[in-house]
């Protein structure tokens, strides 16, 4: 008879861990506080429109392939992937945009046309990024973050200086055009920190971007969730929705004895939490929490977001599936997220129109629009502020893309700091977890295994390896491997 393990939360990391643990013979039950599975990657449907509530970028396809291959499967067994062409588009001003091709040679040509001589520097930069990507994926990101020695091998020693320089310094060393600089600094925003605070080693995100391309699962990111749930179910994992965990119950030896779920006690041998790390520790008696409120307050968190899900009654022009609006001061917005937290003066924003490439996401002749403004976590959140910022970005969107769209809005739904707190128990309403700065990398992140409570483990974006969907899949594997090592 296998050991009983309950997993709190049903996001990517929890689902990945549930598959690995069930395969190893554990009796696995996943508890989800909301009424649908998927964590932040849930789905919203209205009037024939379908939106992913959270993640919308499918990068690093090899990580997804590796996950499914561990079970003798392929992503194509569960969903259809389309490579986007262009991968995305970036607006810098009125009728002034650059499309990022899905072919690396065309990206080199575009750089050269904007800044003569830049192509050779970009090739060198991408060669370095590819080598770092291979090092990261093979040697680093699948490590459990227990010891600094995990980072030490002949490959990383050769690259040690890259941990003490930054993406910003590396990018700006040879590339001088502001537009090209912003394109190269953009991918590290997925890691939740400013380019000036992100180690240069993380340029592997640029290889993920230019080298591996941007993909879209037909039907949306939720198709990946459905595929993982299907796999987990076939392996024997059980799921419970509307299952709110009120307390983690321990005995006098600081062993997990059970959970209080919707007021009812459930016995278990082990608990793995894919829910917010800070929130999970509040489910314990105070003396059993590893990290104090002071600890969390000092950490650099990735941004929160103001999101809008908008149904339009016409097709949108002059935009791509993924469109970034960098027509305002990048550094000023970053400062208002990280250094002087406030509602941004003139925010950068992102728009996603899945229905441009995926007919399943909107009725014919209509468009599904997803808009995102990065915000400082923990700031004031009111309906009035949300509405004011919708007007701000709509004004700019219309002007930059030279079209009128507001009169075509059928409906809109917003999601912001308060919702992240209420729906996901997210610390300060952050959207992406804890940033990957130098002092918050690998063994310097919150630990997967609790040091105070036996049989309690963590997975997800606040522990190793960090923010993002591919890292969440990896985190689920790391956590399950550690549990298996300690309890098999």
């Amino acid at each position: 008879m296998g050991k009983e393990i309950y997993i709190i939360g049903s996001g990517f990391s929890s689902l990945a861990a549930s598959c690995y643990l069930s395969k190893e013979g554990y009796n696995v039950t996943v508890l989800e506080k909301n009424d649908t599975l998927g964590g932040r990657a849930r789905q919203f449907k209205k009037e024939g429109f379908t939106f992913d509530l959270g993640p919308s970028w499918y990068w690093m396809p090899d990580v997804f392939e590796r996950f499914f291959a561990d079970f003798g499967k392929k992503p194509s067994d569960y969903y259809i992937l389309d490579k986007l062409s262009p991968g995305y588009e970036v607006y810098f001003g009125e009728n002034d945009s650059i499309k990022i091709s899905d072919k690396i040679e065309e990206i080199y040509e575009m750089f050269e046309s904007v800044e003569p001589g830049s192509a050779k520097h970009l090739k060198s930069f991408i060669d370095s990024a590819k080598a770092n990507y291979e090092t990261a994926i093979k040697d680093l990101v699948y490590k459990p973050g227990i010891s600094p020695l995990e980072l030490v091998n002949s490959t990383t020693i050769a690259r040690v200086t890259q941990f003490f320089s930054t993406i910003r310094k590396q990018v700006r060393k040879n590339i001088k055009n502001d537009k090209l600089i912003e394109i190269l600094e953009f991918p590290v925003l997925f890691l939740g920190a400013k380019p000036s605070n992100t180690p240069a080693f993380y340029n592997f995100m640029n290889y993920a971007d230019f080298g591996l391309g941007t993909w879209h699962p037909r039907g949306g990111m939720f198709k990946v969730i459905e595929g993982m749930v299907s796999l987990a179910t076939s392996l024997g994992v059980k799921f419970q929705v509307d299952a709110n965990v009120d307390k983690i119950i321990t005995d006098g030896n600081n062993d997990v004895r059970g959970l209080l779920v919707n007021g009812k006690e459930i016995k278990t041998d082990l608990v793995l939490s894919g829910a917010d790390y800070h929130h999970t520790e509040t489910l314990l008696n105070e003396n059993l929490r590893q990290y104090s409120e002071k600890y969390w307050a000092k950490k650099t968190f990735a941004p929160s977001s103001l999101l809008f899900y908008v149904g339009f009654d016409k097709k949108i022009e002059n935009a791509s599936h993924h469109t970034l609006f960098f027509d305002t001061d990048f550094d000023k917005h970053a400062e208002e997220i990280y250094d002087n937290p406030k509602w941004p003066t003139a925010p950068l924003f992102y728009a996603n129109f899945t229905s441009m490439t995926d007919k399943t996401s909107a009725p014919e002749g209509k468009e599904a629009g997803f808009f995102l403004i990065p915000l400082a976590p923990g700031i004031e959140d009111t309906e009035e502020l949300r509405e004011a910022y919708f007007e701000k970005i709509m004004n700019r969107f219309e002007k930059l893309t030279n079209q009128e769209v507001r009169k075509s809005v059928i409906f809109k739904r917003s999601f912001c700091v308060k919702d992240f707190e209420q729906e996901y128990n997210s610390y300060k309403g952050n959207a992406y977890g804890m940033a990957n700065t130098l002092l918050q990398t690998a063994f310097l992140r919150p630990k997967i295994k609790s040091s105070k409570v036996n049989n309690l483990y963590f997975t997800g974006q606040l522990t190793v390896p960090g923010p993002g969907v591919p890292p969440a899949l990896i985190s689920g594997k790391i956590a399950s491997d550690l549990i298996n090592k300690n309890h098999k």
Side-chain angles (χ1 to χ4, degrees), residues 209-448:
D209 177 0
F210 292 173
L212 299 176
T214 303
W215 301 75
H216 174 71
R218 211 172 292 173
M221 291 293 285
F222 191 68
K223 287 294 177 188
V224 186
I225 293 290
E226 288 181 332
M228 295 178 75
V229 169
S230 175
L231 173 61
T233 303
S234 74
L235 293 165
V237 176
K238 298 181 284 294
F239 292 93
Q240 294 178 20
V241 294
D242 295 315
N244 187 57
V245 178
D246 306 307
K247 190 170 179 62
I248 297 171
I249 302 164
T250 55
D251 61 19
N253 296 319
N254 298 340
D255 286 315
V256 171
R257 187 162 56 83
L259 295 169
L260 198 64
V261 181
N262 295 337
K264 182 183 173 185
E265 189 171 329
I266 294 171
K267 290 183 179 178
T268 187
D269 300 309
L270 294 148
V271 168
L272 170 64
S273 179
D276 180 271
Y277 202 123
H278 168 269
H279 169 73
T280 303
E281 288 220 311
T282 68
L283 303 176
L284 294 162
N285 292 336
E286 200 165 339
N287 64 310
L288 296 178
R289 298 171 193 171
Q290 304 166 92
Y291 304 109
S292 66
E293 291 299 323
K294 231 179 238 184
Y295 168 91
W296 294 110
K298 285 180 181 173
K299 293 298 167 186
T300 301
F301 272 80
S304 185
S305 297
L306 170 55
L307 303 162
F308 294 101
Y309 314 97
V310 186
F312 294 98
D313 70 3
K314 68 171 188 178
K315 298 303 286 182
I316 300 296
E317 299 173 351
N318 305 327
S320 298
H321 180 121
H322 294 296
T323 309
L324 302 159
F325 292 86
F326 286 2
D327 56 305
T328 58
D329 190 328
F330 189 107
D331 289 336
K332 174 76 171 165
H333 189 174
E335 180 190 313
E336 291 168 340
I337 292 173
Y338 297 103
D339 307 325
N340 178 27
K342 60 192 278 193
W343 278 82
T345 312
L348 285 70
F349 68 98
Y350 155 63
N352 169 324
F353 304 100
T354 52
S355 46
M356 288 185 175
T357 54
D358 184 348
K359 292 178 181 176
T360 67
S361 61
E364 193 172 346
K366 299 180 181 179
E367 209 83 88
F370 169 107
F371 297 85
L372 182 153
I373 303 173
L375 297 175
I379 59 173
E380 179 189 17
D381 172 17
T382 66
E383 286 302 322
E384 291 75 21
L385 280 164
R386 296 185 189 195
E387 196 58 36
Y389 275 78
F390 183 73
E391 289 303 311
K392 273 182 192 250
I393 64 171
M394 284 298 105
N395 283 336
R396 279 172 46 208
F397 182 83
E398 289 186 332
K399 186 178 179 186
L400 292 165
T401 63
N402 193 28
Q403 65 190 310
E404 193 177 79
V405 298
R406 265 176 295 192
K407 289 180 181 175
S408 299
V409 172
I410 304 168
F411 65 83
K412 76 172 187 291
R413 173 183 173 182
S414 65
F415 198 98
C416 198
V417 175
K418 281 183 184 174
D419 301 296
F420 281 103
E421 290 172 342
Q422 289 165 9
E423 301 280 329
Y424 310 126
N425 295 311
S426 172
Y427 181 73
K428 290 188 176 179
N430 80 81
Y432 308 108
M434 189 183 284
N436 262 339
T437 60
L438 178 61
L439 297 178
Q440 294 180 178
T441 291
F443 65 96
L444 297 172
R445 296 180 73 79
K447 301 300 182 194
I448 280 184

Side-chain angles (χ1 to χ4, degrees), residues 125 128 132 161-168 170 195 198-204:
F125 179 76
S128 162
N132 285 347
T161 56
Q162 293 189 38
F163 286 94
F164 297 99
S165 183
T166 66
I167 287 284
R168 170 148 289 190
Q170 191 182 49
T198 302
F201 179 78
Y202 283 106
N203 71 1
F204 66 72

Side-chain angles (χ1 to χ4, degrees), residues 13-14 58 104 106 136 182 260 286 310 362 384 420 428 450:
S13 59
S14 294
Y58 192 105
I104 188 74
E106 290 180 4
E182 289 191 1
L260 198 64
E286 200 165 339
V310 186
E384 291 75 21
F420 281 103
K428 290 188 176 179
S450 171

Side-chain angles (χ1 to χ4, degrees), residues 104-118:
I104 188 74
E105 289 303 324
E106 290 180 4
I107 295 173
Y108 293 144
E109 288 170 12
M110 179 273 289
F111 265 65
E112 191 67 19
S113 70
V114 174
E115 182 183 325
S118 65

